[in-house]
Amino acid sequence: MAKRYAAPMEGLTTWLWRRVHAEIFGGTDKYFTPFLSPNDNCAFQRKELREIEDTAPLRVVPQIMAARAEHLIWASRELGQRGYEEINLNVGCPSGTVTAKHKGAGLLCRCDELDALLDAAFTALPAMRLSVKTRVGYASYDEWQALLAIYNRYPIHELIVHPRIRKEFYTGEARRSVFAWTREHTDLPLVYNGDVASAQDPAFAEPVMVGRGLLRDPALFRRAGGGAPASRAELNAYVTALADGYEAALGADAALHKMWELWVYLIEAFRGGEPYMKAMRKCRTLSAYRGVAGAVLRELPLVWQE
Ligand SMILES: Cc1cc2nc3c(=O)[nH]c(=O)nc-3n(C[C@H](O)[C@H](O)[C@H](O)COP(=O)(O)O)c2cc1C
């Protein structure tokens, strides 16, 4: 069966989400952490440490966002000492504050810097598996050929391709034709990422990474393997474990915000969720939120139970 990876989603696919998701729905070969952003301090922040501590037995790949080789190398060594054998480099984050620092998608318009970063990392870290998650251009799809030529020079463990360019952010449709073209022009192991939303998606025939689709339907991978769709009881256990876990770790207010963020996607698993979503956004306490979430789970039809 082709591999299925949970995409990194900042604020969403956290240490807690990964654990809860794996326990209830399973079906995921690798989970990627939201990006960790090392700097001159050579120390991960508290929030970042939470993402990389106590991740066993899940297969978790820490993702690094860096522009400078010394930051990437420091972080990779540190993670290696913590037992990680694979790390992932973010070459796709489109945020302006990130690209201004030449990080994430900011590397896509600076081919020399991208090349130098990969060269330094592969020279310094011969034992580490380094995978790359990339968009296919900064301002134009025409840039992809030159970018892929750079990637082709390195023993990249897996090249995860999100076929959008930076200036599109998450709008429009991922261009699967660009991924098909990529297949013909590289020998690197490829993973497809972008807009996979149904268990019947042909992308499941090959290694695939899914973000938003897995948040909308947490049992998507199980269904893609012929298994059952998410039941109400599972969804209830899922949101309850997340709200309880966030409350215990971060306090009730932060937990409320986290649950709002999650429901932006999860509400699409239900028909007629819009008014409930509005009510959820008006909740000022976690217990009020629990009331609305409970009503969604009891009252609304699931889109896959027609
Ligand atoms: C809210 C949000 C946060 C994201 N955070 C990250 C991140 O930390 N690292 C990363 O490489 N991509 C990040 N992404 C991009 C996703 O991993 C993924 O590439 C993108 O959503 C397209 O895949 P999808 O259509 O399956 O969601 C994020 C996307 C969204 C919408």
Side-chain angles (χ1 to χ4, degrees):
M1 207 185 311
K3 302 280 183 211
R4 297 170 192 142
Y5 301 160
M9 303 271 287
E10 223 239 315
L12 291 154
T13 60
T14 62
W15 54 278
L16 178 65
W17 179 84
R18 297 190 297 267
R19 224 187 288 149
V20 171
H21 181 265
E23 201 175 300
I24 298 177
F25 300 105
T28 308
D29 293 292
K30 286 183 198 171
Y31 289 91
F32 288 67
T33 71
F35 64 80
L36 315 173
S37 198
N39 55 33
D40 285 337
N41 295 345
C42 288
F44 287 120
Q45 298 165 26
R46 216 173 99 71
K47 185 177 153 215
E48 294 177 328
L49 285 172
R50 205 182 249 146
E51 295 296 342
I52 54 173
E53 283 172 349
D54 303 324
T55 53
L58 299 187
R59 201 145 166 220
V60 172
V61 180
Q63 185 188 64
I64 304 295
M65 194 151 77
R68 299 208 350 228
E70 59 268 33
H71 296 162
L72 175 59
I73 292 166
W74 171 80
S76 303
R77 289 203 173 120
E78 177 71 23
L79 290 162
Q81 278 165 15
R82 289 170 182 266
Y84 289 98
E85 292 170 353
E86 177 184 347
I87 60 151
N88 178 260
L89 177 67
N90 178 321
V91 192
C93 180
S95 146
T97 49
V98 166
T99 57
K101 293 181 199 150
H102 302 199
K103 295 183 185 183
L107 286 165
L108 295 169
C109 56
R110 297 176 177 93
C111 286
D112 291 350
E113 289 179 35
L114 176 63
D115 198 8
L117 184 64
L118 292 172
D119 186 52
F122 279 106
T123 305
L125 305 162
M128 180 64 84
R129 292 183 192 148
L130 183 64
S131 62
V132 173
K133 179 165 179 283
T134 186
R135 288 185 184 242
V136 296
Y138 189 88
S140 160
Y141 281 86
D142 296 341
E143 298 161 18
W144 182 227
Q145 197 169 350
L147 287 163
L148 185 61
I150 295 173
Y151 292 136
N152 278 339
R153 289 207 277 276
Y154 298 97
I156 293 171
H157 179 62
E158 283 178 321
L159 185 66
I160 303 159
V161 180
H162 176 200
R164 280 192 173 85
I165 55 175
R166 184 265 170 177
K167 74 170 186 196
E168 294 173 304
F169 282 69
Y170 298 102
T171 61
E173 273 179 33
R175 289 210 200 165
R176 296 188 189 219
S177 58
V178 175
F179 187 78
W181 180 91
T182 307
R183 217 187 272 124
E184 306 302 316
H185 291 85
T186 187
D187 292 326
L188 293 171
L190 290 178
V191 178
Y192 175 77
N193 169 240
D195 300 350
V196 173
S198 105
Q200 288 75 41
D201 195 306
F204 281 113
E206 291 179 77
V208 69
M209 171 183 270
V210 184
R212 293 166 297 179
L214 196 58
L215 293 173
R216 284 184 205 118
D217 174 3
L220 183 66
F221 289 170
R222 191 173 75 194
R223 293 172 77 192
S231 68
R232 263 172 218 282
E234 285 176 321
L235 290 170
N236 191 26
Y238 174 66
V239 295
T240 302
L242 287 170
D244 291 353
Y246 283 133
E247 184 181 21
L250 310 171
D253 288 350
L256 178 59
H257 280 90
K258 286 274 183 214
M259 296 314 290
W260 280 340
E261 279 184 79
L262 185 90
W263 274 98
V264 167
Y265 299 94
L266 188 60
I267 197 69
E268 290 179 36
F270 300 88
R271 295 223 178 276
E274 197 46 42
Y276 291 76
M277 208 53 211
K278 277 195 185 137
M280 205 180 278
R281 289 205 173 282
K282 287 191 186 139
C283 294
R284 289 291 161 261
T285 65
L286 196 58
S287 66
Y289 151 80
R290 285 192 171 104
V292 179
V296 172
L297 285 157
R298 272 191 318 275
E299 294 166 15
L300 292 183
L302 283 161
V303 292
W304 49 80
Q305 281 180 348
E306 291 174 295

